Amino acid sequence: MALEVKLKDQTYQLHRSGACYWVEQDVILLADVHLGKSAHFRKHGMAVPTQADDKEYDKLNAIIEEFQPSRLWFLGDLFHSYKNAEWHFFEQWINSQTIEIGLVMGNHDVISRDSFERLGMKTYDSLQMGKVLLTHHPKEIEGSYNIAGHIHPSIKLQGKGRQQLKLSCFFCTDYGMILPAFGDFTGTYTLKPKKGNRIFAIAGDEVVELN
């Protein structure tokens, strides 16, 4: 289930997976997948189940099936580190796709651009689409609405009994929207809303706006 919102005259469907479907551009935007992170940790002796690797591809396939977009843009940190066994599975996944796929480079994207472009992907430092600027690191630029990742935003809720709940969220300011991390094997960073911010939290199977 996705929540449809209007932001700066554009329509976005915010999905429980952390993906954002931009209706007018027929493109899925998602950030911080961090493919290969579990393999990277296993290499360094951490007991991480191998099923963690497959889950990201299942999620990717599910959102493509749900939205049927013509394009998908990764907003940085597609891979967690250098090439490992995960690259082979990524090649297979890319070769099975029929839509246009691009990557806005992030700080973890140390794999060469040539490697991605040989797979038919376009790569960018940033991507301006009308008045919307797509980046990995959030930016505040007059005249542009910035959609980015990097932060892995979450919000902390506190109940009357002092119990706390932390939820990943889409964090919106006057300047732009920060997407939650799409990868399951990632941490989050708690942000404190200011007046005028809009917070769309992922609560189980739905996305809800917090007041």
Side-chain angles (χ1 to χ4, degrees), residues 125-193:
D125 290 321
S126 62
L127 182 58
Q128 189 82 45
M129 301 176 72
K131 293 184 178 180
V132 176
L133 176 65
L134 305 179
T135 63
H136 177 59
H137 291 84
K139 296 181 182 293
E140 294 186 3
I141 299 176
E142 285 290 343
S144 284
Y145 190 75
N146 175 229
I147 302 180
H150 182 62
I151 304 293
H152 305 190
S154 64
I155 191 78
K156 190 176 290 184
L157 306 178
Q158 188 159 329
K160 293 181 180 179
R162 298 181 67 181
Q163 67 270 40
Q164 292 186 340
L165 178 65
K166 188 165 72 169
L167 299 174
S168 293
C169 66
F170 298 83
F171 195 95
C172 300
T173 70
D174 288 339
Y175 286 96
M177 173 167 54
I178 306 173
L179 303 185
F182 185 81
D184 288 320
F185 204 58
T186 59
T188 63
Y189 181 74
T190 302
L191 296 175
K192 293 183 179 180

Side-chain angles (χ1 to χ4, degrees), residues 170-176 191-200 209-211:
F170 298 83
F171 195 95
C172 300
T173 70
D174 288 339
Y175 286 96
L191 296 175
K192 293 183 179 180
K194 298 179 181 178
K195 185 177 180 180
N197 294 163
R198 296 181 69 182
I199 310 301
F200 303 95
E209 183 168 11
L210 302 180
N211 297 316

Side-chain angles (χ1 to χ4, degrees), residues 5-44:
V5 298
K6 278 276 192 181
L7 300 167
K8 302 294 184 182
D9 299 321
Q10 295 294 296
T11 312
Y12 303 96
Q13 295 180 4
L14 310 182
H15 193 265
R16 64 186 181 274
S17 65
C20 169
Y21 175 62
W22 184 1
V23 175
E24 287 82 2
Q25 294 286 346
D26 192 25
V27 61
I28 288 175
L29 307 174
L30 47 86
D32 301 288
V33 182
H34 287 275
L35 290 173
K37 189 170 186 179
S38 53
H40 177 78
F41 280 179
R42 280 196 298 273
K43 183 179 177 181
H44 290 83

Side-chain angles (χ1 to χ4, degrees), residues 108-133:
H108 274 278
D109 292 311
V110 294
I111 297 173
S112 72
R113 291 187 181 211
D114 286 345
S115 295
F116 290 109
E117 289 171 359
R118 278 195 291 269
L119 297 180
M121 294 175 61
K122 297 178 180 179
T123 62
Y124 307 90
D125 290 321
S126 62
L127 182 58
Q128 189 82 45
M129 301 176 72
K131 293 184 178 180
V132 176
L133 176 65

